[in-house]
């Protein structure tokens, strides 16, 4: 029984728990501010998860369905979903959080099979579903991914045989759009086939899922080897794997490429799942993963070509993780655009170089390289926070068009279609 386990965890409540067990259950507890921690055990019906709880001076501990939740009293008051505290029509908080006393404690606590009831000193009642609490408390979120994904190597991606979506299904059907978004969220790349090889039709495909993010390159951009911009991408040279716009404070979340024309050889596109490589580093070299996720670097783009004059600077670690569950959400990797390393002290900088080399070695393993030949009609979408891209050198005239997409809009579209993102 959870109540008995709690008794051994909290010896000062053992005597109280024994008395409670000897008398009929009373599911409502009036709290005395000077009283020690209070324990109650709820014995629910057959098939219903048992619930037990301990009241501490500043928080309550609730055990439900085998999981422990630590819930601060201020947090419990702030997240009240009553009509006076929360507008269910707009899904916005009405309660003024700053007005909640930091030493607030409930005057009464009651639990039934599905719900926690809290009555506050002013008489206000807050109700929480136990399932809602288990999903939204810190301990619950710590066990969940913000965005589910499938990490891949070359072989595993090919074996998955991820289907492309046709141009017409993508534009005209909800099922086609949903299939595309699901593949994109899981793998970080997705393809739309049979797209007319024009800039206008490519833009139509992009705007199906997001507003186009206008940057220093404009909205839709053309990429040829005319060196019209101060970037190696505007040449015929090979490009090593990298993510784009690392020199933005917030790198562009997603991008697409469409090869409209190529009269020559070479030019295959390279794709690498950066999250897969980073996870290998986390498992085999955890200290190096920590360094790469904690040491900030400057990335820089300086351009003075024709009428284009720009000096962009972005700062952040190579690996970016959520602090509560350590989930990796962005990789910022571009050796071309990395600026002078002046944010790392001398006694750590060599460790950073070593950690960076370990990640680079993983990213460059042939078994992690997916090579794709882009051709007219085949539009590639890339999650720029996850998948690195590059290319082999090429000959002849090669014209690509593409754009950057607003990440929030893409994820919004996915959520509206019932996908977790």
């Amino acid at each position: 029984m959870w109540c008995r386990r709690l008794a051994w965890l909290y010896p000062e409540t053992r005597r109280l728990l024994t008395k409670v067990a000897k008398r009929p259950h009373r599911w409502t507890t009036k709290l005395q501010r000077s009283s020690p921690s209070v324990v109650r055990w709820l014995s629910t019906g057959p098939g219903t998860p048992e619930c037990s709880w301990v009241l501490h001076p500043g928080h309550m501990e609730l055990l439900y369905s085998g999981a422990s939740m630590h819930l601060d009293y201020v947090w419990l008051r702030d997240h009240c979903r009553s009509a006076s505290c929360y507008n269910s029509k707009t899904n916005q908080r009405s309660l003024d959080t700053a007005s909640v006393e930091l030493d607030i404690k409930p005057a009464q606590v009651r639990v039934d099979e599905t719900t926690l009831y809290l009555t506050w000193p002013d008489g206000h009642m807050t109700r929480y579903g136990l399932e809602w609490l288990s999903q939204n408390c810190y301990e619950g979120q710590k066990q969940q991914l913000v965005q589910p994904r499938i990490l891949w190597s070359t072989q595993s991606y090919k074996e998955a045989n991820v289907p492309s979506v046709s141009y017409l299904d993508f534009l005209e059907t909800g099922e086609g759009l949903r299939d595309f978004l699901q593949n994109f969220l899981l793998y970080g790349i997705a393809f739309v086939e049979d797209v007319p090889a024009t800039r206008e039709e490519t833009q139509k495909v992009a705007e199906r899922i997001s507003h186009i993010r206008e940057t220093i390159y404009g909205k839709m951009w053309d990429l040829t080897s005319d060196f019209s911009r101060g970037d190696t991408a505007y040449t015929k040279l090979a490009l090593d794997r990298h993510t784009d716009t690392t020199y933005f404070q917030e790198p562009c979340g997603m991008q697409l490429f469409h090869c409209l024309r190529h009269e020559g050889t070479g030019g295959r596109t390279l794709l690498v799942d950066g999250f897969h490589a980073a996870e290998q580093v986390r498992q085999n070299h955890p200290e190096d993963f920590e360094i790469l996720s904690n040491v900030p670097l400057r990335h820089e783009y300086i351009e003075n070509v024709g009428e284009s004059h720009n000096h962009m600077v972005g700062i952040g670690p190579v690996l970016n993780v959520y602090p509560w569950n350590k989930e990796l959400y962005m990789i910022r990797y571009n050796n071309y655009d990395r600026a002078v390393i002046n944010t790392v002290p001398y006694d750590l900088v060599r460790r950073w170089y070593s950690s960076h080399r370990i990640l680079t070695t993983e990213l460059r393993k042939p078994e992690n390289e997916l090579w794709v030949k882009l051709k007219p009609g085949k539009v590639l979408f890339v999650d720029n926070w996850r998948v690195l891209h590059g290319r082999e050198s090429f000959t002849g005239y090669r014209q690509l068009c593409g754009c950057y997409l607003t990440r929030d809009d893409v994820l919004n579209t996915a959520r509206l279609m019932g996908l977790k993102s």
Side-chain angles (χ1 to χ4, degrees), residues 261-275:
R261 181 181 171 191
H262 185 197
E263 300 168 352
T265 61
R268 288 182 306 162
T269 295
L270 168 64
L271 300 168
V272 178
D273 186 353
F275 285 5

Side-chain angles (χ1 to χ4, degrees), residues 41-91:
W41 170 49
L42 173 63
S43 179
T44 54
T48 305
E50 290 183 355
C51 177
S52 57
W53 41 275
V54 183
L55 300 177
H56 298 284
H59 72 282
M60 74 177 298
E61 182 176 0
L62 184 67
L63 284 95
Y64 172 71
S65 192
S68 175
M69 298 176 268
H70 294 78
L71 306 168
D72 185 276
Y73 295 138
V74 178
W75 186 95
L76 287 167
R77 182 65 186 88
D78 178 53
H79 288 82
C80 179
R81 290 312 195 239
S82 68
S84 62
C85 297
Y86 187 80
N87 190 327
S88 59
K89 292 183 178 179
T90 64
N91 297 298

Side-chain angles (χ1 to χ4, degrees), residues 118-175:
L118 302 165
T119 302
W120 302 101
D122 62 359
H124 183 83
M125 176 176 281
T126 295
R127 299 174 179 84
Y128 287 112
L130 297 177
E131 284 294 332
W132 186 93
L133 284 173
S134 68
Q135 294 170 9
N136 288 280
C137 68
Y138 174 80
E139 289 85 358
Q141 285 296 305
K142 191 174 181 179
Q143 304 302 319
Q144 299 182 37
L145 288 176
V146 174
Q147 184 178 321
R149 56 180 66 102
I150 297 175
L151 306 185
W152 52 267
S153 62
T154 309
Q155 181 177 351
S156 64
Y157 182 81
K158 290 181 177 179
E159 289 177 349
N161 196 26
V162 183
S164 301
V165 178
S166 73
Y167 170 72
L168 290 179
D169 283 346
F170 180 78
L171 286 184
E172 297 179 3
T173 71
E175 183 180 358

